[in-house]
Amino acid sequence: MPDHLDEHAMNAEEPITATAVDHAIDIEGLHKRYDSAPVLRGLNLIVPPGQVYGLLGPNGAGKSTLIHLLMGFLLPDRGSIKVFGKAPGTQSERIGYLPERLRYHVHYSGREYLRFMGRFSSMPHQQLERRISELLQLVDMEEAADRRMKRYSKGMLQRIGIAQALLSDPELLLIDEPSSGLDPAGQYEIQEILVNLREHGHTIMLCSHQLDEISQICDRVGILVQGQLAAETDLATLPGQSGITITLVELPAEDLDFALRSIDPAISRAGRRITVPEVTPMLQKQVLQLLIEEGFTVASLQPTIGTLRDLYLHVVKGNPPPPEAAPPTNTSLLDSLLATEEDA
Amino acid sequence: MRSLSRIWAWSRFNLAEYIRSGRILIELLAMVIFAYIFLRRPNTAAIIRATQFFSMTALFVLAQTIYTTGMLVSLAQRAQGYVILARPLGRRGYLLGLFLVPVIIGVLDFILLSIIVTIINKPEIWTVPIWLAGALPLILDIMLVTALVILLSGLVLTNGWRLFILGLVALGSLSSADLIGPSLSLDNLIGRFLATMRTLVSVPLIPLLSGFELAVRRGYGSEALPILLGQIVLTAAVLFFAIFSFDRRDIILG
């Protein structure tokens, strides 16, 4: 299937342009099984160039499998997967990869290791040496660069791992659990480096369990549950606060609004629905107490999804995502052509 | 050209790691023990002949090549390999770079043993042409054995295919006497089928065994060139199948 048709199939509303074709990552209907166990089940995902995309999910959700498919280590059973418009594994120079719990060839020093990695990429000698010095500076490993890696701490090893991923100045970085196994100080150091990379305009796909890490670094986040994208949203659109929505059986009079605002001015009401945007146990108790004293019957009380944590916990329990965080659906080429015909 | 330099860089990387990790010491120790037991001159009358040297050394070097290749494949199957495979070296370069290392170590082993025997127990007739005549088929056998071990490794083939090919190799290696026992005569349909199969599957092993024989006897008659060509063709075919299979399978290292 030609790229432009394929792209059109992904999103019928999007105009077909050159930039749309060149998504950094473009996945459609991806299926992958290990033995007989399905790991990815019809995954659809697009990451445009320049975006920092965070992939969250519980253990076994398929995050590392997805990264391995993007690197071309694994082959898809079904569906399409493209990196910069081409099959995975064909554009290694444009991709930097940091595996989960990276194990190292510890008989080399950090500098020697980076030198060898550069030779696998056929980088000219002088350019390679210059690049290695820059990267060692970036990850703050200049002093330890000539020590054997078996003497490095986990944090130092991970910093060398980041340096090797950046060696060819890749356009896309695939980073799998960068803080895994690190102490809080080590996690902080790695986050600092990743924030720095983000500012340099790299496209990044970051898999992590760390919600804070994702929140700090990423523009957009997808939550993978049982091999499918259960939710996807721009982090900027999340209010950042956890609240509740109370629905009453009766339609209250306007007097109630004054009473509610006297508890907290941020509380609002629309019809039978009362919204408390930033809730604490005390505030919730006060509001409910007021409603009971005024003789109202509470039909439902639901937490609102205001933070990434809320969204994550909501969808991993199997709940449907809120409409604003609904993942893209699998639109086939036939569907999109039919839709175009109907529009016409 | 770029691909070749990447493959060579990967081979050097493996070789350096093999040496730095100390694994090479096991091979050196085995070589010293072998030379002490089989190559030294226990008394002044016991001079070794070139045929004896090549027959013993070829067996030792080929056995050591199997060990070295197995060790290197196990190193390449570690999770460390993901970062290498993520480079432009690619899957083919990964396998070819790996192939070169046991070949280099095997050839160096053989050269070292040749130097040792020259020093401690120089064979009766020992010239460069005689050495080359034995060395050439032996080096080709080292390459062939390395390629076979890589092909039969878990890195390249799934367990089902490995068992199937090992079964064929076992069948091909059996003699008719082993295969056709008293309870299974050649007249029997199954007996005839197995005998035919054995003949068929043993054909690919002929260059390996003939190469060994040529290294030992060094009789370069009319049959020598087909043997050498057979070794080269079989090595290339085995490598081709290994690359073909490695290109088409999921890589799960760890």
Side-chain angles (χ1 to χ4, degrees), chain A residues 32 34 68 71-75 92-93 97 99 102-105 107-109 112-113 116-117 119-122 148 164-165 167, chain B residues 2 5-6 9-10 12-14 16-17 20-21 78-89 91 247-252:
Chain A
K32 182 66 191 174
Y34 281 134
H68 282 204
M71 289 305 304
F73 303 150
L74 299 177
L75 308 172
S92 314
E93 290 280 12
Y97 171 55
L102 176 57
R103 295 185 184 92
Y104 292 85
H105 297 83
H107 298 292
Y108 294 100
S109 71
E112 281 177 317
Y113 184 70
F116 264 114
M117 294 296 141
R119 283 180 191 153
F120 300 150
S121 310
S122 307
R148 289 261 174 118
Q164 68 77 27
L167 207 53
Chain B
R2 271 190 165 189
S5 81
R6 286 172 190 155
W10 171 224
R12 281 173 56 200
F13 182 81
N14 273 317
E17 209 206 357
R20 287 186 188 198
S21 65
R78 295 175 305 167
Q80 282 90 326
Y82 281 128
V83 179
I84 317 275
L85 279 162
R87 310 257 150 214
L89 175 74
R91 291 184 180 210
D247 262 347
R248 282 158 184 77
R249 70 165 299 183
D250 287 339
I251 299 176
I252 300 170

Side-chain angles (χ1 to χ4, degrees), chain A residues 175-189:
Chain A
I175 302 178
D176 197 358
E177 305 281 359
S179 305
S180 174
L182 299 183
D183 59 23
Q187 289 177 11
Y188 178 73
E189 285 171 6

Side-chain angles (χ1 to χ4, degrees), chain A residues 330-341:
Chain A
N330 187 0
T331 314
S332 69
L333 177 63
L334 184 62
D335 291 339
S336 64
L337 288 173
L338 286 172
T340 315
E341 262 185 30

Side-chain angles (χ1 to χ4, degrees), chain A residues 108-219:
Chain A
Y108 294 100
S109 71
R111 192 186 300 276
E112 281 177 317
Y113 184 70
L114 293 177
R115 201 172 280 147
F116 264 114
M117 294 296 141
R119 283 180 191 153
F120 300 150
S121 310
S122 307
M123 201 181 280
H125 179 71
Q126 283 185 335
Q127 187 189 337
L128 176 62
E129 290 300 320
R130 219 174 23 247
R131 184 74 183 142
I132 289 170
S133 298
E134 282 170 14
L135 289 171
L136 288 171
Q137 201 175 355
L138 177 79
V139 298
D140 196 19
M141 285 290 291
E142 286 163 300
E143 281 183 23
D146 295 309
R147 291 214 307 260
R148 289 261 174 118
M149 290 203 287
K150 60 182 168 188
R151 293 183 189 159
Y152 286 1
S153 67
K154 279 184 182 171
M156 290 162 91
L157 285 171
Q158 201 67 335
R159 279 187 269 163
I160 286 292
I162 292 174
Q164 68 77 27
L166 292 169
L167 207 53
S168 59
D169 196 14
E171 292 162 62
L172 171 65
L173 278 167
L174 298 175
I175 302 178
D176 197 358
E177 305 281 359
S179 305
S180 174
L182 299 183
D183 59 23
Q187 289 177 11
Y188 178 73
E189 285 171 6
I190 297 300
Q191 277 178 27
E192 289 264 285
I193 295 170
L194 294 178
V195 168
N196 191 1
L197 290 179
R198 176 199 157 86
E199 283 160 11
H200 280 80
H202 290 277
T203 307
I204 301 176
M205 177 179 262
L206 171 68
C207 291
S208 181
H209 287 300
Q210 309 271 349
L211 298 176
D212 286 348
E213 193 169 66
I214 295 275
S215 301
Q216 275 192 20
I217 299 162
C218 300
D219 302 317

